[in-house]
Amino acid sequence: MEMGFLIGHESPELFQKTPNAVRVGGGPIDPTDGDFETDSVEWKLRHVWGGTLMDPKSAVASKGTNSA
């Protein structure tokens, strides 16, 4: 098999959702304070990759039935 990555996305990318809260009187909000309604913090991981089978002799198949 051959594995490849999209140019500029060779490593996993980690995102954190910006909180939707605003502090009364202004000032920055710490992203780890979470969402206004639930105090939840959301994360997302993205890893862009693909692959192809170079030599069919290296392939393995299974029906998943546990029978010989």
Side-chain angles (χ1 to χ4, degrees), residues 14-19 31-32 34-35 38-45:
L14 183 61
F15 299 90
Q16 182 179 13
K17 186 174 183 179
T18 303
T32 59
D35 184 64
T38 62
D39 287 335
S40 64
V41 178
E42 295 183 43
W43 298 86
K44 175 174 75 173
L45 177 71

Side-chain angles (χ1 to χ4, degrees), residues 5-19:
F5 299 94
L6 186 62
I7 294 173
H9 300 273
E10 290 84 5
S11 298
E13 299 170 279
L14 183 61
F15 299 90
Q16 182 179 13
K17 186 174 183 179
T18 303

Side-chain angles (χ1 to χ4, degrees), residues 1-6 9-12 46-52:
M1 289 187 71
E2 180 181 14
M3 300 294 294
F5 299 94
L6 186 62
H9 300 273
E10 290 84 5
S11 298
R46 176 172 47 203
H47 201 179
V48 183
W49 59 274
T52 186

Side-chain angles (χ1 to χ4, degrees), residues 21-29 36:
V22 176
R23 191 176 309 276
V24 176
I29 301 283
F36 178 79

